[in-house]
Amino acid sequence: MKITFWLLDLNYEKKADQPEIRLWGISSSGERILIIDRNLPSYFYAVVNEDTEPTKLLEEIRNGDFPSVKKVEVVERKFFGKPVKAVKVYCGDPDVIAEYAKELRKFEGVKDCFEDDIRHAMRYLIDNNIQPCGWHEVEATETTDSPNIKVDKLYLAKATPKLVEKTETPKLRVLGFSTIYYSQEGSPKPERNPIVIISTATNCGDQEQFSADEDRKDKHVLEDFIDYVQQFDPDIIVGYSVNGQHWQYLQERCKESGLHLFVDRGQTEPRTSVYSHTSLTGRVNLDLADYVEEFQEIKVKTLENFADFLGVMKIENRTIIEDIDIAGYWNDKAKRETLKKFSLDNTCCIMGITEAVLGFAIQLSNLVGLPLDHVGTAAAGFRVEWFLIKKTHRIGELVPKRIDQPYRPYAGGLVLKPIPGLHDNIAALDFKSMYPNLMITYNLSPDTYVSPTESMPAGGVYETPEVGHKFRKEPPGFYKEVLTYLIKVRSEIRAKMKKLSPTSPEYRVLDSRQKAIKVITNATYGYAGWTGARWYVKPVAEAAAAYGRHTIQSAVQMAEKEELKVVYGDTDSIFLENDKQKVEKLEKDIMDKLKLEIAPDKVYTRIFFTEAKKRYAGLLQDGRLDIVGLEVVRGDWAGIAKTVQEKVLEIILKEQSQKKALEYVQQVIRELRQEHVPYSDLIIWKTLTKKAEEYEVNASHVEAAKMLKAKGWEMSVGDKIGYVIVTGTGRLYERVKPYVLATYDNVDLEYYVTKQIIPAAARILESFGITEEQLLAAKPNPKETKTLTDFFGSR
DNA sequence: GCGTTCAATGTACCT
DNA sequence: ACAGGTACATTGAACGCG
């Protein structure tokens, strides 16, 4: 019979020496199904030396000690665009591929072996053009032989599934969960600390909480949770930091209690798989922590901040319980309910965020070709790479091995010096997807690069300015094809967005989706220059950057010829006088001459630059401030300094009153000294980028991390450390305390005056002749001065 | 011995 | 574990100075 299904997950398995691919899906009638396909591609390539007769090699392989080889054939392939002859070696058993390839590399006449490093499930997807999160049709027979398989129907494929055009997503069952562990002091450790609460919620509206009330052991909590998961039978299980953290914790606790953490559809426990994600057979394990990275605006990437940013659950409307306080809340019967509420709220955050990002994750998975549970954990470079592998397979380009390449830097984008001070009516023009379009226009690609030792191709070459790299004009490289496709998809999404209100949730999702596509599109340039890339070709990236510099320089010259004053520019943008007619003419001229689209990205009623590049603030036409690079948008400045700088910018840009700005700063300083500034506005956050012992110089956040560690809190690379500066003597790093261990009385308020508020304010006001001394000096009688409320009104 | 200078270190940002 | 370009704070050794 013919089955139409949407591919949720897949895995490779070998049952009784029979290798098979298991396709977990949802049928068009809504059944959860498993399709077993025993017909899977299984081969690798041995590329033959130029002076070797490939047929000779065929014989040697046939006569060699390779019992699993089913077939060998000579094929024509390409490697970095150059034709090569290879022997394609088919193996009955996929698991021998790596070993056989290793053997064959030692054979005389074999230059190298390829594609022995492609995982079997990915091989299956690529060769059969099967897409995760996509619909397919398959001829299959139903079987009943399903030990331990939890599906509505089980099928054996009679043929290879075929992709069908159908864009909608089936109704998926989603279960979110979050946990609370009990630890008297320090980070909870599974070998000693129990789980006290597991909160779940589903997209069918059910909420459940399993807790260790009345001295119930966490064994029962886990049992109830496992039963509940199996009963609800979700397609997707979602959590926050579940990969490498919570799943492992639950699993350890299960082991401790003699339980099996069977929450999948195949009676197996969670396993750690590629890109260190946790895999659940037949279900998608989704970790929202992988998606928070897409949101640059979120500085401290907690679940609470993620939900707050998306508007799922505002922080001001809830009680946040810090890790350090959890045990206290649990111990106190009166506060325990608050802890439970906190836990349930976290799960609600998870469900809300899922609603906002799942559609995006599904699209990304489908676009890149990585299964939904891998695509989030895969770094940008790997997402690009899988997308490329799908495309190159179709054009006979062999997938290069990943090899260690020496790092050699090259020149990047050009940044213009800003004209400091205030400017009125400035347009910021952007080249649209500049690097990708340059790569398309000049056919920059790993398979079109012509090295200096090579002869001139028949169709001629593009020669790069400054660096002089050469690229064949014909035929088109695979970057050109890939980038053209990505740009097309993005423009379709943007067209859809135009029909929506910018405040609608759908708009926000589409916006982050198109941003992500943009990131991936732009990442193709970065990918080309990444030493870890399979198709690492430095000249491709270097050429794109050189064309980019050439482009922006030309644009500036053309603008100046139009007598448009350019006040700033960075890589692919120029900021200039917004003379409508002249700007429109310039856009057209640039299009004609440079063959690249440039368009106004933003128009500033007024914009402010310091002497520094990459830092400015502008007043947009709708009255909003657009602040770039300055302390306001940095995560490593105290909230109070950021607030002050933002208000100063607002006063300067909107009212142009230096006096009012000065008075405002002085007023905040007074309020701070009277301890009227909330403690949370004094916390400074910095990332621990390596292990504490590995730092060469003493640093504040490292000291804070060490103090937490001494109290039993595990500190790992990538953690954001929140600290305050406390009173005392000596170096700054000697006056640091983690914010959870300090109190307001310890805080050195003068540090916040002289090293936070004043520098942040002076950054702006020094342009107007106001010095740090002036900001600090002048202590008028409080009775004569305005209060903060006078400046901005009361809420 | 103590303040000043300056390269190095470290982090976060921009496109 | 996508690139290079940039700003800025702090550290700590070198330097200057009786």
Side-chain angles (χ1 to χ4, degrees):
Chain A
M1 73 184 81
K2 195 156 242 169
I3 315 292
T4 305
F5 70 100
W6 190 83
L7 183 60
L8 182 72
D9 182 32
L10 81 164
N11 63 294
Y12 164 83
E13 248 176 72
K14 201 197 267 174
K15 283 274 157 87
D17 276 349
Q18 171 63 59
E20 59 190 37
I21 293 290
R22 301 186 156 211
L23 303 164
W24 303 84
I26 296 163
S27 74
S28 45
S29 57
E31 288 171 318
R32 272 57 188 169
I33 63 170
L34 170 61
I35 299 159
I36 294 173
D37 193 345
R38 298 201 166 130
N39 179 25
L40 57 162
S42 168
Y43 60 86
F44 66 96
Y45 295 99
V47 168
V48 182
N49 277 330
E50 287 88 353
D51 57 3
T52 303
E53 180 49 51
T55 46
K56 213 184 110 212
L57 198 63
L58 288 184
E59 276 320 298
E60 282 185 50
I61 297 169
R62 286 195 188 109
N63 299 332
D65 185 19
F66 301 111
S68 191
V69 169
K70 278 269 148 56
K71 187 173 125 187
V72 278
E73 59 177 341
V74 176
V75 292
E76 305 270 341
R77 290 290 182 270
K78 282 180 277 181
F79 189 60
F80 285 88
K82 301 201 171 50
V84 290
K85 280 196 166 53
V87 175
K88 190 172 180 182
V89 185
Y90 296 85
C91 303
D93 179 0
D95 296 329
V96 303
I97 285 177
E99 181 197 323
Y100 282 16
K102 196 177 164 194
E103 265 321 295
L104 268 183
R105 282 191 183 100
K106 297 180 199 157
F107 273 49
E108 206 175 313
V110 172
K111 201 169 188 180
D112 207 343
C113 292
F114 292 100
E115 306 201 5
D116 52 306
D117 53 353
I118 308 289
R119 295 169 56 87
H120 309 324
M122 291 309 293
R123 174 91 281 159
Y124 181 86
L125 292 181
I126 293 161
D127 286 43
N128 297 323
N129 191 28
I130 291 172
Q131 297 182 1
C133 303
W135 289 94
H136 304 80
E137 239 172 35
V138 63
E139 193 59 43
T141 48
E142 189 170 353
T143 76
T144 46
D145 170 36
S146 63
N148 301 332
I149 303 285
K150 197 185 155 109
V151 285
D152 299 325
K153 297 255 172 67
L154 175 67
Y155 299 96
L156 199 59
K158 281 163 76 179
T160 305
K162 282 214 160 51
L163 189 69
V164 291
E165 289 300 321
K166 196 171 164 193
T167 45
E168 79 232 35
T169 304
K171 174 106 182 72
L172 298 162
R173 286 200 294 267
V174 182
L175 179 139
F177 79 99
S178 67
T179 55
I180 300 284
Y181 311 124
Y182 179 84
S183 170
Q184 284 282 4
E185 202 173 64
S187 301
K189 296 231 162 57
E191 61 272 20
R192 64 162 198 228
N193 300 119
I195 299 161
V196 289
I197 306 171
I198 301 178
S199 304
T200 65
T202 73
N203 64 339
C204 301
D206 309 311
Q207 295 184 349
E208 290 290 335
Q209 212 159 29
F210 310 102
S211 80
D213 277 333
E214 277 103 44
D215 296 325
R216 268 161 47 97
K217 291 262 177 332
D218 70 346
K219 180 181 183 182
H220 300 115
V221 175
L222 283 161
E223 274 174 341
D224 290 352
F225 172 65
I226 294 165
D227 284 352
Y228 182 73
V229 172
Q230 290 300 359
Q231 172 248 305
F232 180 70
D233 189 27
D235 303 306
I236 302 180
I237 303 186
V238 53
Y240 198 81
S241 298
V242 285
N243 285 332
Q245 285 195 45
H246 299 305
W247 282 123
Q248 266 82 343
Y249 203 103
L250 296 191
Q251 212 167 348
E252 288 284 313
R253 289 308 298 174
C254 279
K255 210 185 276 171
E256 206 85 5
S257 308
L259 295 173
H260 291 290
L261 186 56
F262 289 158
V263 289
D264 67 348
R265 284 178 168 148
Q267 288 258 52
T268 64
E269 299 216 25
R271 292 168 311 283
T272 302
S273 180
V274 273
Y275 311 125
S276 63
H277 88 287
T278 301
S279 174
L280 308 172
T281 306
R283 304 196 206 280
V284 171
N285 167 48
L286 195 71
D287 193 339
L288 296 179
D290 294 329
Y291 292 90
V292 74
E293 302 300 328
E294 313 278 346
F295 298 86
Q296 291 308 137
E297 302 92 327
I298 305 171
K299 306 295 174 183
V300 183
K301 302 199 181 301
T302 60
L303 172 63
E304 294 90 335
N305 289 349
F306 198 178
D308 182 85
F309 177 78
L310 292 179
V312 168
M313 200 183 287
K314 285 290 173 187
I315 283 175
E316 62 254 35
N317 300 333
R318 56 182 303 212
T319 311
I320 305 294
I321 301 174
E322 305 274 358
D323 286 355
I324 201 168
D325 299 319
I326 285 176
Y329 271 80
W330 179 260
N331 289 337
D332 184 340
K333 280 271 154 63
K335 288 161 89 180
R336 190 180 284 188
E337 287 309 309
T338 311
L339 182 63
K340 285 191 186 171
K341 172 77 165 52
F342 169 70
S343 173
L344 193 59
D345 279 352
N346 281 343
T347 299
C348 290
C349 286
I350 285 169
M351 294 311 287
I353 296 167
T354 303
E355 227 181 294
V357 306
L358 182 59
F360 163 66
I362 286 172
Q363 292 304 318
L364 193 65
S365 162
N366 189 257
L367 178 79
V368 169
L370 280 167
L372 183 53
D373 59 345
H374 291 31
V375 76
T377 46
F382 294 106
R383 294 177 186 172
V384 171
E385 197 152 75
W386 279 114
F387 190 72
L388 294 177
I389 289 172
K390 281 205 306 182
K391 297 284 167 185
T392 53
H393 178 78
R394 257 140 255 172
I395 58 168
E397 165 84 18
L398 293 174
V399 179
K401 288 178 295 185
R402 198 179 304 286
I403 42 181
D404 270 326
Q405 303 271 15
Y407 171 72
R408 280 266 134 242
Y410 63 89
L414 185 68
V415 191
L416 307 181
K417 268 191 182 169
I419 300 176
L422 286 172
H423 307 275
D424 283 356
N425 198 22
I426 295 292
L429 305 190
D430 261 19
F431 282 100
K432 297 296 151 198
S433 304
M434 188 176 74
Y435 286 151
N437 278 315
L438 287 169
M439 291 161 103
I440 291 168
T441 304
Y442 299 102
N443 205 22
L444 310 179
S445 187
D447 53 337
T448 56
Y449 175 59
V450 179
S451 78
T453 58
E454 287 175 61
S455 55
M456 177 67 74
V461 294
Y462 293 109
E463 197 171 332
T464 316
E466 292 183 53
V467 289
H469 297 312
K470 295 187 181 76
F471 294 86
R472 285 192 335 240
K473 287 187 174 176
E474 293 292 337
F478 62 85
Y479 274 14
K480 189 169 187 159
E481 317 222 357
V482 161
L483 292 169
T484 307
Y485 175 75
L486 287 171
I487 288 169
K488 184 183 122 238
V489 170
R490 178 158 178 252
S491 87
E492 283 167 4
I493 292 169
R494 280 156 69 94
K496 225 184 254 177
M497 283 168 63
K498 282 190 179 143
K499 294 173 190 158
L500 293 164
S501 148
T503 53
S504 73
E506 295 155 272
Y507 182 96
R508 291 182 78 144
V509 174
L510 285 177
D511 191 36
S512 38
R513 183 162 124 207
Q514 67 87 12
K515 269 183 191 152
I517 292 178
K518 185 184 181 182
V519 166
I520 291 193
T521 308
N522 290 346
T524 306
Y525 155 73
Y527 175 85
W530 171 41
T531 57
R534 289 174 186 265
W535 278 285
Y536 171 60
V537 182
K538 199 186 82 166
V540 171
E542 196 168 26
Y547 275 117
R549 292 192 296 274
H550 181 255
T551 300
I552 188 174
Q553 275 168 324
S554 306
V556 169
Q557 279 173 18
M558 291 167 74
E560 281 167 354
K561 213 173 242 168
E562 295 288 338
E563 297 189 306
L564 281 166
K565 192 165 74 169
V566 177
V567 295
Y568 180 60
D570 186 350
T571 310
D572 61 355
S573 67
I574 50 172
F575 291 54
L576 38 68
E577 280 177 82
N578 186 31
D579 179 327
K580 227 172 174 191
Q581 262 110 57
K582 287 185 181 175
V583 168
E584 272 169 25
K585 178 164 190 304
L586 179 68
E587 285 169 33
K588 286 198 187 76
D589 290 352
I590 287 174
M591 186 71 202
D592 289 346
K593 198 170 160 195
L594 304 178
K595 309 287 175 222
L596 284 175
E597 189 191 342
I598 194 168
D601 182 42
K602 281 166 180 162
V603 175
Y604 299 100
T605 312
R606 192 168 291 127
I607 192 165
F608 168 79
F609 293 102
T610 65
E611 305 264 335
K613 297 169 174 178
K614 297 188 185 281
R615 313 186 115 213
Y616 55 88
L619 177 61
L620 296 168
Q621 288 170 314
D622 62 8
R624 285 183 303 132
L625 294 190
D626 181 37
I627 301 172
V628 178
L630 292 163
E631 283 73 7
V632 175
V633 297
R634 291 183 64 97
D636 57 349
W637 282 75
I640 185 64
K642 303 205 302 177
T643 308
V644 167
Q645 192 183 59
E646 187 167 12
K647 299 290 184 196
V648 165
L649 284 167
E650 192 178 347
I651 294 167
I652 292 295
L653 287 168
K654 288 188 177 166
E655 306 178 47
Q656 302 193 74
S657 168
Q658 303 158 34
K659 184 164 166 280
K660 193 171 172 188
L662 173 64
E663 284 171 7
Y664 164 73
V665 176
Q666 292 171 339
Q667 179 58 27
V668 175
I669 291 172
R670 277 191 295 276
E671 306 248 335
L672 173 64
R673 284 175 172 154
Q674 288 164 31
E675 306 192 357
H676 289 166
V677 171
Y679 183 63
S680 60
D681 275 350
L682 304 177
I683 304 170
I684 297 162
W685 295 93
K686 275 203 173 95
T687 309
L688 202 64
T689 60
K690 46 187 152 184
K691 290 193 209 132
E693 320 85 72
E694 289 169 1
Y695 280 83
E696 289 190 32
V697 292
N698 293 307
S700 304
H701 66 301
V702 182
E703 289 306 304
K706 283 181 188 163
M707 290 182 204
L708 289 167
K709 211 172 164 189
K711 292 230 167 203
W713 294 97
E714 229 166 73
M715 289 291 124
S716 32
V717 173
D719 284 354
K720 279 259 200 253
I721 316 293
Y723 63 89
V724 293
I725 301 300
V726 296
T727 49
T729 55
R731 295 290 205 175
L732 190 63
Y733 66 84
E734 296 171 304
R735 300 194 282 125
V736 158
K737 265 201 170 185
Y739 81 100
V740 287
L741 301 180
T743 63
Y744 213 121
D745 322 322
N746 307 139
V747 171
D748 179 8
L749 293 175
E750 285 312 300
Y751 167 80
Y752 289 90
V753 173
T754 59
K755 296 289 182 178
Q756 291 281 326
I757 293 176
I758 287 186
R763 189 96 52 224
I764 315 304
L765 295 175
E766 274 182 344
S767 285
F768 303 94
I770 296 173
T771 62
E772 294 205 358
E773 289 70 34
Q774 273 173 279
L775 290 168
L776 187 57
K779 253 188 170 181
N781 183 340
K783 275 184 184 159
E784 292 167 22
T785 52
K786 295 176 177 177
T787 66
L788 288 183
T789 325
D790 292 326
F791 279 95
F792 300 107
S794 54
R795 274 182 287 259

